[in-house]
């Protein structure tokens, strides 16, 4: 019976970098309601994945002023995913380290 369990676990498909990028992109589009997303880092870690994304969002300052413009702010977000691609952390970062 343990041989069957080993074979089954070996046959499970591990997510690829493309799978991770698709998941992050769809998450940000839903969470932030943005279209312009550029994934600039994708890293496989021991217990999951880490990504760094560049997102262009409507300028919060311009919106506060009540102006109608297409000015966008460039923001960076770090997103961590578990091995099964569940988003487990989402954080806006100030700069790339």
């Amino acid at each position: 019976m343990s041989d069957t369990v080993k074979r089954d676990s070996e046959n499970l498909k591990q997510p690829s970098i493309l799978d991770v990028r698709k998941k992050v992109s769809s998450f940000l589009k839903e969470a932030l309601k943005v279209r312009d997303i550029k994934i600039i880092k994708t890293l496989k870690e021991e217990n999951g994945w880490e990504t760094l994304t560049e997102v262009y969002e409507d300028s919060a300052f311009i919106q506060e002023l009540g102006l109608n413009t297409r000015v966008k702010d460039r923001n960076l977000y770090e997103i961590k995913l578990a091995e099964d691609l569940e988003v487990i952390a989402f954080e806006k970062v100030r700069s790339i380290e």
Side-chain angles (χ1 to χ4, degrees):
M1 184 170 181
S2 64
D3 290 338
T4 303
V5 172
K6 285 181 185 177
R7 272 187 256 121
D8 288 343
S9 66
E10 289 171 1
N11 290 334
L12 292 177
K13 181 184 173 212
Q14 295 296 317
S16 70
I17 287 179
L18 293 176
D19 296 330
V20 173
R21 294 171 67 88
K22 286 178 188 175
K23 177 66 176 186
V24 167
S25 182
S26 66
F27 171 77
L28 287 174
K29 286 177 182 178
E30 184 178 331
L32 300 177
K33 307 293 187 234
V34 294
R35 294 182 309 171
D36 301 323
I37 299 166
K38 182 177 181 183
I39 299 171
I40 56 178
K41 175 183 159 185
T42 305
L43 178 65
K44 173 75 169 122
E45 295 184 328
E46 187 174 317
N47 295 321
W49 296 86
E50 178 182 321
T51 65
L52 184 65
T53 59
E54 179 181 77
V55 176
Y56 287 89
E57 300 175 273
D58 291 334
S59 173
F61 176 73
I62 298 295
Q63 286 180 341
E64 283 181 23
L65 294 176
L67 300 175
N68 188 12
T69 182
R70 294 182 183 196
V71 173
K72 302 278 186 185
D73 289 337
R74 176 183 172 262
N75 295 313
L76 298 171
Y77 289 92
E78 184 177 83
I79 300 169
K80 294 186 180 186
L81 298 96
E83 289 183 15
D84 65 353
L85 301 187
E86 175 187 0
V87 175
I88 56 174
F90 168 62
E91 178 182 19
K92 188 175 186 177
V93 293
R94 293 194 178 266
S95 64
I96 300 173
E97 296 178 4

